Amino acid sequence: MIAHVVLYQPRPDLGASDRARFHAALTSALRDIPSIRRARVGSRVRHGAAYETLMPTDFEFVGIFEFDDVPGLQAYLNHPAHAELGSLFYTSNAAALAYDYDLPDGDPLATIANWS
């Protein structure tokens, strides 16, 4: 499984209408892009852990999008609904990170065991 992980911090001056446009674009992408197997969007939880103060950027939200394989991720990235979402994403957020990860089934420690 491939996970597309996006951390983001909306612009502080982002108005309600722009938030609604972003939400609508995300809804459209989730509805219209068939290669998305599962998607979750969540907000940051703060509970007093020491590492919370060590992060250089405060990303308030995360989106985790799951795909069967890299071609599924690429189909998502090249879909017209993603083009609309992407254009709004970069104008709506003050900061963002996006990374893709291969999350194999099986032993969760197998990947770390092969660190070199």
Side-chain angles (χ1 to χ4, degrees):
M1 191 244 334
I2 301 297
H4 178 63
V5 180
V6 181
L7 301 170
Y8 59 102
Q9 180 61 42
R11 287 188 354 248
D13 63 339
L14 192 65
S17 64
D18 289 328
R19 286 179 187 266
R21 284 180 56 216
F22 180 77
H23 183 268
L26 178 58
T27 300
S28 176
L30 294 174
R31 180 189 62 231
D32 297 340
I33 304 175
S35 64
I36 299 172
R37 293 296 167 241
R38 184 165 86 158
R40 292 174 283 170
V41 176
S43 57
R44 185 166 176 208
V45 174
R46 291 172 183 82
H47 52 92
Y51 60 79
E52 293 175 351
T53 62
L54 299 175
M55 301 301 140
T57 304
D58 183 19
F59 293 103
E60 188 65 28
F61 297 98
V62 63
I64 303 172
F65 305 86
E66 297 176 1
F67 305 89
D68 290 337
D69 49 27
V70 171
L73 169 63
Q74 291 169 330
Y76 162 79
L77 295 172
N78 292 313
H79 194 281
H82 181 267
E84 173 67 15
L85 177 61
S87 70
L88 289 172
F89 182 82
Y90 287 107
T91 60
S92 300
N93 290 292
L97 293 173
Y99 291 99
D100 304 312
Y101 296 93
D102 181 14
L103 299 176
D105 289 329
D107 181 1
L109 300 178
T111 300
I112 322 176
N114 295 320
W115 281 1
S116 52

